[in-house]
Amino acid sequence: MTTHMLVQMPLLAVIGIVACRMLPVRLQDSILVKVGGSVPCVMVALFASSYWMLPRALDAALNDPLAELAKFLSLPLLVGFPLVLAWRRLTLIGRGFVWTNFISMLAVLGWLY
């Protein structure tokens, strides 16, 4: 479980980040416009990452191959990729919101485990 939270899940999100950064900026901008802007991207990333921080979701990923596949697809595509798309367009307050939410979620997760 610790390896999942500290190694595997961050690396899966980093795969999405790297994949998005490999796309040309023009394509990133067109994808961002098609999905509705930076706010929906941040919301998707927050909800997807929140789901995978639930102990029940991680237990399911360890026991159910379908949940494991969902983890391997959702973390890069719904966390890393949308955050990179939205990051350049977010204001300082938006970036602060993302960082604050991330830190508070990690604190709650540490308490939960």
Side-chain angles (χ1 to χ4, degrees):
M1 188 74 75
T2 305
T3 307
H4 275 263
M5 286 304 298
L6 296 177
V7 178
Q8 190 180 46
M9 292 175 65
L11 286 177
L12 288 171
V14 167
I15 288 171
I17 290 169
V18 170
C20 187
R21 288 188 183 215
M22 291 177 68
L23 295 175
V25 175
R26 175 180 259 163
L27 183 59
Q28 289 180 20
D29 289 339
S30 68
I31 293 171
L32 187 63
V33 168
K34 287 179 184 175
V35 298
S38 59
V39 173
C41 287
V42 169
M43 295 304 293
V44 164
L46 290 177
F47 282 120
S49 63
S50 297
Y51 173 76
W52 287 111
M53 288 189 183
L54 294 173
R56 183 166 177 94
L58 283 181
D59 287 340
L62 292 174
N63 297 326
D64 184 17
L66 217 60
E68 182 81 8
L69 178 66
K71 180 180 72 173
F72 274 91
L73 292 176
S74 67
L75 284 171
L77 296 176
L78 297 178
V79 177
F81 200 87
L83 278 179
V84 171
L85 285 178
W87 196 256
R88 287 185 302 131
R89 296 240 180 130
L90 285 176
T91 63
L92 187 61
I93 293 172
R95 290 179 182 185
F97 170 77
V98 171
W99 277 112
T100 304
N101 190 15
F102 176 70
I103 291 169
S104 66
M105 284 171 44
L106 285 179
V108 169
L109 182 68
W111 174 78
L112 194 63
Y113 282 107

